Amino acid sequence: MMTINTKLPVGRPREFDLDEAVRRAMQIFWDRGFHDASLPDLLAGMQLSKGSFYKAFGDKKSVFLRALEFYTDDGVRNVQEVLRSAPSPKAAIRNALVRYADLSSGKKGVRGCFGVLTAAEMLPGDPDIAEVIKRLFSRLQALFAATIAKGQAAGEIANRSDPEVIAHFIVSHAQGMRVLGKVGSRRDEMLKDADLLMEMLF
């Protein structure tokens, strides 16, 4: 865990957790977006002085990129864990779709996916952020493709299409669920969609 030492006006050293500060910033950006998150908002939420903020991060976009990286890394790690949650690749994929239904309904659904919200706000105009979002979807696709290939090799998944193509379809559906969640789609509706998707693909 990284720490940064800064100095208070009286000259006493102050230590803060850099990662924790970025995660606090992530919550602010998630709720308000990049453009509407003001510096005072960030300083208050991160519990930093202006001097400490600029010394540690340089500028607002640098904090945003770090926050987005944290979010995408967490998201990929969570999907990986779910895809390893069952010995059956087919069951693991359904577990992942159920998780997306949970994230896409209720209060979590209305809040939305930080990655999707960022893409809607910042792309295609910002190549740095575009690279992070592109990498997120590529990593998710790779995880699903590996699980599908494992199922095909075991004879559990009869669909012999390219695992990358199937995985791309699943990721596209999952991200669509996150968008529908913003308008209050119900969990039971999304679970029915997930079951239909499983029937169509496998």
Side-chain angles (χ1 to χ4, degrees):
M1 193 172 284
M2 298 177 63
T3 59
I4 293 290
N5 290 323
T6 62
K7 290 186 177 181
L8 295 172
V10 294
R12 293 168 54 194
R14 176 182 179 184
E15 185 177 87
F16 68 88
D17 185 329
L18 181 64
D19 288 353
E20 181 59 30
V22 173
R23 290 190 181 280
R24 288 173 182 155
M26 180 178 72
Q27 300 302 321
I28 297 167
F29 286 127
W30 195 343
D31 288 332
R32 304 188 186 187
F34 176 79
H35 294 294
D36 287 342
S38 68
L39 181 58
D41 292 334
L42 291 169
L43 296 180
M46 298 169 75
Q47 301 175 17
L48 296 178
S49 68
K50 185 183 293 187
S52 296
F53 176 90
Y54 283 115
K55 183 176 181 180
F57 303 107
D59 58 26
K60 177 179 168 181
K61 183 179 175 182
S62 295
V63 180
F64 187 83
L65 282 170
R66 285 183 182 230
L68 189 60
E69 290 278 8
F70 273 17
Y71 180 84
T72 57
D73 286 347
D74 285 347
V76 170
R77 183 165 50 251
N78 290 334
V79 170
Q80 184 177 51
E81 289 175 358
V82 174
L83 289 176
R84 292 174 176 174
S85 65
S88 160
K90 195 171 176 180
I93 291 170
R94 187 179 187 281
N95 288 345
L97 291 173
V98 170
R99 177 177 177 274
Y100 274 110
D102 290 338
L103 292 173
S104 303
S105 55
K107 291 182 179 180
K108 290 182 179 179
V110 172
R111 192 184 193 197
C113 167
F114 183 35
V116 172
L117 295 173
T118 295
E121 179 187 11
M122 304 295 287
L123 303 186
D126 192 307
D128 297 325
I129 291 173
E131 181 58 33
V132 177
I133 299 298
K134 181 180 178 181
R135 189 163 61 248
L136 166 64
F137 294 146
S138 294
R139 292 166 71 189
L140 292 174
Q141 183 175 330
L143 289 175
F144 278 105
T147 305
I148 293 162
K150 182 179 177 182
Q152 289 175 333
E156 181 182 284
I157 293 177
N159 189 336
R160 306 314 299 179
S161 299
D162 184 344
E164 291 286 344
V165 174
I166 302 174
H168 186 275
F169 188 79
I170 291 173
V171 172
S172 298
H173 177 82
Q175 298 310 314
M177 291 168 72
R178 301 307 306 271
V179 174
L180 290 175
K182 290 289 292 179
V183 295
S185 289
R186 301 197 316 267
R187 182 177 184 273
D188 62 320
E189 294 174 331
M190 294 191 182
L191 289 177
K192 289 178 182 178
D193 291 344
D195 287 338
L196 179 59
L197 181 68
M198 294 294 295
E199 290 177 11
M200 291 170 54
L201 294 178
F202 308 128

